[in-house]
Amino acid sequence: LADRYSRSAVIAIGGCVNFAAATATIYATYQGAKEDGSWEQHYWILLGAMCGWGVVGGIVNGPAQALYADSTPQGSRSKYYQYLFI
């Protein structure tokens, strides 16, 4: 996606999917922990939320890394990547 569209737009879309996945995860875990609810329904909601987390990881990490690399001075990227991963 980031090859066809701008990186920031892809990251923004990923942020919206991230919010939806987080909301679904919170809802499924809190409501599913109650004794009076149907655990099967919450299981499917949680499964969908986990798929959402996978989509977020797939569409956000690559463009975010590329945007980070483009914003660091050339020649000193290894220093900034060291800061990022420590």
Side-chain angles (χ1 to χ4, degrees):
L1 285 176
D3 294 336
R4 290 188 178 187
Y5 306 105
S6 75
R7 292 178 185 145
S8 3
V10 171
I11 293 170
I13 291 169
C16 294
V17 176
N18 189 4
F19 179 75
T23 304
T25 302
I26 291 169
Y27 173 77
T29 53
Y30 283 128
Q31 293 298 319
K34 291 183 179 179
E35 299 272 338
D36 58 352
S38 167
W39 69 269
E40 294 163 339
Q41 176 186 6
H42 295 100
Y43 170 78
W44 289 110
I45 293 171
L46 188 61
L47 184 66
M50 293 299 114
C51 291
W53 286 114
V55 168
V56 168
I59 67 173
V60 170
N61 288 337
Q65 290 289 327
L67 197 60
Y68 184 76
D70 289 346
S71 64
T72 56
Q74 195 170 13
S76 61
R77 287 185 181 165
S78 61
K79 178 176 82 170
Y80 289 105
Y81 271 101
Q82 184 177 7
Y83 294 148
L84 177 66
F85 291 116
I86 290 184

